[in-house]
Amino acid sequence: MASSQHFTHPRMRGWDRLTIGQKRVIWAWGFLAVPILFYAIIRFYPTFTAFYLSFTDWNLLRSPEFIGTANYQRMFADAAFWQVFRNTFAYLIWGTPISLVIAFVISYYLDRVRLMHGFIRALYFLPFLTTAAAMAWVWRWFYQPVPIGFINGMLSSIGLPQQPFLRSTSQALPAIMVTAIWAGLGFQIIIFLAGLRAIPQTYYEAARVDGLGEWAILTRITLPLLRPTTVFLVVFSSIGFLRIFDQVYNMTTNDPGGPLNSTKPLVLMIYQSAFSSYDMGYAAAQTVVLFTILLIVSLIQLYLLRRR
Amino acid sequence: MRNFLASSMLTIAAGLVVVPAQAQTVEIEYWQYIFDTRVRAMDQLIERFHEEYPDIRVRQTTFPYADYQTRIVAAHTAGQGPDVVQLFYGWLDNFVAGELIQPLSEARFPAAEIEADFFPIVGAMQRDGQYWGLPTAVRSLALFINNDLFEEAGLDPANPPQTIDELRDAAISAVKYDSAGNITSVGLTLEMGAQDHHWWREGLVRQFGGVPYDDDGNVAYDSDAGLAALEFVTNMQTEDRVGTTGFMDEGQAAFRAGMAAMTIDGTFRLGSFNSISHFNWTVAELPANDDGLRSNYASYFANAIGARAEGERREAAETFLQFLTSPEAMEVWLEVVGELPARREVAQTDKNLTDPVYGPFLAALDYAHTTRFVDEAAQRQVAIDMVNRVVLQNQSPADSLAAAAAAEQAIIDRSR
């Protein structure tokens, strides 16, 4: 019987000899090959090309020529680059903790609200669904001077001096950061809420039976058990703030990243170098720096927040 | 079967007759960016061109302005591209270096004729004696005046400011404040990010006795004239308080809303201002200096022959370009887009010169300059920052001017 099958299906021979385990491995790799190929071609190949381009003087029109580390030397000697570097970290260092604390506080209390819980949650989530560009333009009008600026109109009506907001080198970055925090809040609240709901109620019941106060419950049970959620949100929102672009660009189109580069993040600088000055080599060098920062920040965060 | 054969033969024969006729039709591609009136004007021109030259078919391709250069370069890399393409005069060096366009043939576009018939600003399309493109229309700057606000301030819109000092005085009279001292309506819009940087470069610096760039294209405004020009602009914001940058978000919005007595803007703004219905406005020439010297900035999009056009396509492309730069095409462009004809004889007719709107813009073309930008956005940013350092950070105008000159020279040096 075995020999007759052998002759009738010669091509099946190799496949049939494999064990179930081996077949599973082949099937798994067969399916995995699709995303791996996709990533290799769409993600990794351009990434490596960017590394190469950062050592060239490519300007879109002329073919790239190798110029060594000239782009990096120019970048590190450029005061504007360091300003942009500081701005990028300002968005990260202020934006991430502030947004997470606010998101946690809101979701902590929202979790206890029963009345119109879904409606309130939807309200918080709404900004996340809105186009960043549209939101940025609305905020841009809020921040205008009188007679059209909403906030300055309110300040003036109660006799306070109007504030320059986006026209100030010191106020512009916080003014933009507020909108970015507000825009990302909905997503963070939803994730925190999911994390809070995943903590078994029995822990809380046991804690209350043992007579623990609210503060002790928060610090001993809620926060430690929320660690995976927090890790995810810290990494996710850090990357978001390091890559901030939409809000800044749309709120400062008349003077992109201004005034005097005070709001310009690295991504906007990359965009201008690449698609306004067509300085592709220089833009690639800036991209490599951004990539390195993202990598280091993510690794540090994963290390600090790892499970002990 | 015989019927079938016969009909097949007939079809083939018909095909043979038709094919040579089709072969004589040359199809060429025209590329420009999407701007409603420009696209409409070009559609009209192509229709007329088809009537005149039935053996040439022109296909118009448009794309968003932001994608302009990337599209053309990407197409070029892929071995494709337009036969006739529109480009901003300031991009010429990049387009030549990238071998995206080819020079016009001397036979069909004699340089002597171009220089005699067109305004001198088309010289910016010339490199080493060869012309690389020609504009249909050009744009210049003028002073827009809100008549109602002018009259309210006791000024006469029929008697616009003739000198830059009169301009400043008029702005001081026309600005309005609320009880807290906040500006509620500006005397003059002050936006380096809009057209003011052109006015400063080619207008004020020259009117204060300097030049913005030397003959080799190096920055030359770090001078007493440049300083006086910068102080003129910044003082209006810091001392005279006739306006602030960012008022109503941008100058043209402030003017449209009736909250700016004056604004300096280009011909391209006419389309937007023409729909203003709640106040009257007039156009005046940019004011002169005390010696009567006027200066203006003119710019244009030129049409050039794509590098890919060869043989009969090149012939057809040049025929189309000749048509696009003909008096007929310029009249259509003026009517539909509102941009000024690039040929003197078409532009400076009595009808146009006495036109209350086009007159001041046209008068400017005789004394207008074009700036040889190497990276317009980056050079504009230098001008924006120069004023911001003075206005927002209280830096001395002299220091800010020197910093701006160094920064812009660095941009120019890198492009070489």
Side-chain angles (χ1 to χ4, degrees), chain B residues 355-381:
Chain B
D355 187 289
V357 173
Y358 291 125
F361 287 108
L362 282 169
L365 291 178
D366 272 327
Y367 53 77
H369 297 269
T370 48
T371 313
R372 280 266 181 101
F373 286 112
V374 296
D375 181 350
E376 196 196 0
Q379 287 171 275
R380 183 186 72 143
Q381 190 65 52

Coordinates of all heavy atoms in Angstrom, one line a residue, chain B residues 355-381:
Chain B
D355 N -6.1 101.8 -16.0 CA -6.9 100.9 -15.2 C -6.6 101.2 -13.7 O -5.4 101.1 -13.3 CB -6.7 99.5 -15.5 CG -7.7 98.6 -14.8 OD1 -7.5 98.4 -13.6 OD2 -8.5 98.0 -15.5
P356 N -7.6 101.5 -12.9 CA -7.2 101.9 -11.5 C -6.6 100.7 -10.7 O -5.8 100.9 -9.8 CB -8.6 102.2 -10.9 CG -9.6 101.6 -11.8 CD -9.0 101.6 -13.1
V357 N -6.9 99.5 -11.1 CA -6.3 98.3 -10.4 C -5.0 97.9 -11.0 O -4.0 97.8 -10.3 CB -7.3 97.2 -10.3 CG1 -6.6 95.9 -9.7 CG2 -8.5 97.5 -9.5
Y358 N -5.0 97.7 -12.3 CA -3.8 97.2 -13.0 C -2.7 98.2 -13.2 O -1.5 97.9 -13.2 CB -4.1 96.5 -14.3 CG -4.9 95.3 -14.2 CD1 -6.1 95.1 -14.8 CD2 -4.4 94.2 -13.4 CE1 -6.8 93.9 -14.7 CE2 -5.1 93.1 -13.2 CZ -6.3 92.9 -13.9 OH -7.0 91.7 -13.7
G359 N -3.1 99.5 -13.3 CA -2.2 100.6 -13.6 C -1.0 100.6 -12.6 O 0.2 100.6 -13.1
P360 N -1.2 100.7 -11.3 CA 0.0 100.8 -10.4 C 0.9 99.6 -10.5 O 2.1 99.7 -10.4 CB -0.7 100.9 -9.0 CG -2.1 101.4 -9.3 CD -2.5 100.8 -10.6
F361 N 0.3 98.4 -10.7 CA 1.2 97.2 -10.8 C 2.0 97.2 -12.1 O 3.2 96.9 -12.1 CB 0.3 95.9 -10.9 CG -0.3 95.5 -9.6 CD1 -1.7 95.7 -9.4 CD2 0.4 95.0 -8.6 CE1 -2.3 95.4 -8.2 CE2 -0.1 94.7 -7.4 CZ -1.5 94.8 -7.2
L362 N 1.4 97.7 -13.2 CA 2.0 97.8 -14.5 C 3.2 98.8 -14.5 O 4.3 98.6 -15.0 CB 1.0 98.1 -15.6 CG 0.2 96.9 -16.0 CD1 -0.9 97.4 -16.9 CD2 1.1 95.9 -16.8
A363 N 2.9 100.0 -13.8 CA 3.9 101.0 -13.8 C 5.1 100.5 -13.1 O 6.2 100.9 -13.4 CB 3.3 102.2 -13.0
A364 N 4.9 99.6 -12.1 CA 6.1 99.1 -11.4 C 7.0 98.2 -12.2 O 8.2 98.1 -11.9 CB 5.5 98.3 -10.2
L365 N 6.5 97.6 -13.3 CA 7.3 96.7 -14.0 C 8.6 97.3 -14.6 O 9.6 96.7 -14.9 CB 6.5 96.0 -15.1 CG 5.4 95.0 -14.6 CD1 4.6 94.4 -15.7 CD2 6.1 93.9 -13.7
D366 N 8.5 98.7 -14.9 CA 9.6 99.3 -15.4 C 10.8 99.5 -14.5 O 11.9 99.6 -14.9 CB 9.2 100.7 -16.0 CG 8.7 100.6 -17.4 OD1 9.3 99.7 -18.2 OD2 7.8 101.3 -17.8
Y367 N 10.5 99.6 -13.2 CA 11.5 99.7 -12.2 C 11.6 98.6 -11.2 O 12.2 98.7 -10.1 CB 11.4 101.1 -11.5 CG 10.0 101.3 -10.8 CD1 9.7 100.7 -9.6 CD2 9.1 102.2 -11.4 CE1 8.4 100.9 -9.0 CE2 7.8 102.4 -10.9 CZ 7.5 101.8 -9.7 OH 6.3 102.0 -9.1
A368 N 11.0 97.4 -11.6 CA 11.0 96.3 -10.7 C 12.3 95.5 -10.8 O 13.0 95.5 -11.8 CB 9.8 95.4 -10.9
H369 N 12.7 94.8 -9.7 CA 13.8 93.9 -9.7 C 13.4 92.5 -9.3 O 12.3 92.3 -8.7 CB 14.8 94.4 -8.6 CG 15.4 95.7 -8.9 ND1 16.6 95.9 -9.6 CD2 15.0 96.9 -8.5 CE1 16.8 97.2 -9.6 NE2 15.9 97.8 -9.0
T370 N 14.1 91.5 -9.8 CA 13.9 90.2 -9.4 C 15.0 89.7 -8.5 O 16.2 90.1 -8.8 CB 13.8 89.2 -10.5 OG1 14.9 89.4 -11.4 CG2 12.5 89.4 -11.3
T371 N 14.8 89.0 -7.5 CA 15.8 88.5 -6.6 C 16.2 87.1 -7.1 O 15.4 86.3 -7.3 CB 15.3 88.4 -5.1 OG1 14.7 89.6 -4.8 CG2 16.5 88.1 -4.2
R372 N 17.5 86.9 -7.2 CA 18.0 85.5 -7.6 C 18.0 84.6 -6.3 O 19.1 84.5 -5.7 CB 19.5 85.6 -8.1 CG 19.6 86.1 -9.5 CD 19.7 84.9 -10.4 NE 19.8 85.4 -11.8 CZ 20.9 85.4 -12.5 NH1 22.0 84.9 -11.9 NH2 21.0 85.9 -13.7
F373 N 16.9 84.1 -6.0 CA 16.9 83.2 -4.8 C 17.5 81.9 -5.1 O 17.4 81.3 -6.2 CB 15.4 83.0 -4.4 CG 14.7 84.1 -3.8 CD1 13.7 84.8 -4.4 CD2 15.2 84.6 -2.5 CE1 13.1 85.9 -3.8 CE2 14.6 85.7 -1.9 CZ 13.5 86.3 -2.5
V374 N 18.2 81.3 -4.1 CA 18.7 80.0 -4.3 C 17.8 79.0 -3.5 O 17.7 77.8 -3.8 CB 20.2 79.8 -3.9 CG1 21.1 80.6 -4.8 CG2 20.4 80.2 -2.4
D375 N 17.2 79.5 -2.4 CA 16.2 78.7 -1.6 C 15.3 79.7 -1.0 O 15.5 80.2 0.1 CB 17.0 77.9 -0.5 CG 16.1 77.1 0.3 OD1 14.9 77.2 0.2 OD2 16.6 76.2 1.1
E376 N 14.2 80.0 -1.7 CA 13.4 81.2 -1.3 C 12.9 81.0 0.1 O 12.9 82.0 0.9 CB 12.2 81.4 -2.3 CG 11.6 82.7 -2.1 CD 10.2 82.9 -2.7 OE1 9.7 81.9 -3.3 OE2 9.7 84.0 -2.6
A377 N 12.4 79.8 0.4 CA 11.8 79.7 1.8 C 12.8 79.9 2.9 O 12.6 80.6 3.9 CB 11.2 78.3 1.9
A378 N 14.0 79.4 2.7 CA 15.1 79.6 3.7 C 15.5 81.0 3.8 O 15.8 81.6 4.8 CB 16.3 78.7 3.4
Q379 N 15.6 81.7 2.6 CA 16.0 83.1 2.6 C 14.9 84.0 3.2 O 15.2 85.0 3.9 CB 16.4 83.5 1.2 CG 17.7 82.9 0.8 CD 18.0 83.1 -0.7 OE1 17.6 82.4 -1.5 NE2 18.8 84.2 -1.0
R380 N 13.7 83.6 3.0 CA 12.6 84.4 3.6 C 12.6 84.2 5.1 O 12.4 85.1 5.9 CB 11.2 83.8 3.1 CG 10.0 84.5 3.6 CD 8.8 83.8 3.1 NE 8.6 82.6 3.9 CZ 7.4 82.1 4.3 NH1 6.3 82.8 4.0 NH2 7.4 81.0 5.0
Q381 N 13.0 83.0 5.6 CA 13.1 82.7 7.0 C 14.1 83.6 7.6 O 13.9 84.1 8.7 CB 13.4 81.2 7.2 CG 13.3 80.8 8.7 CD 11.8 80.9 9.2 OE1 10.9 80.4 8.6 NE2 11.6 81.6 10.3

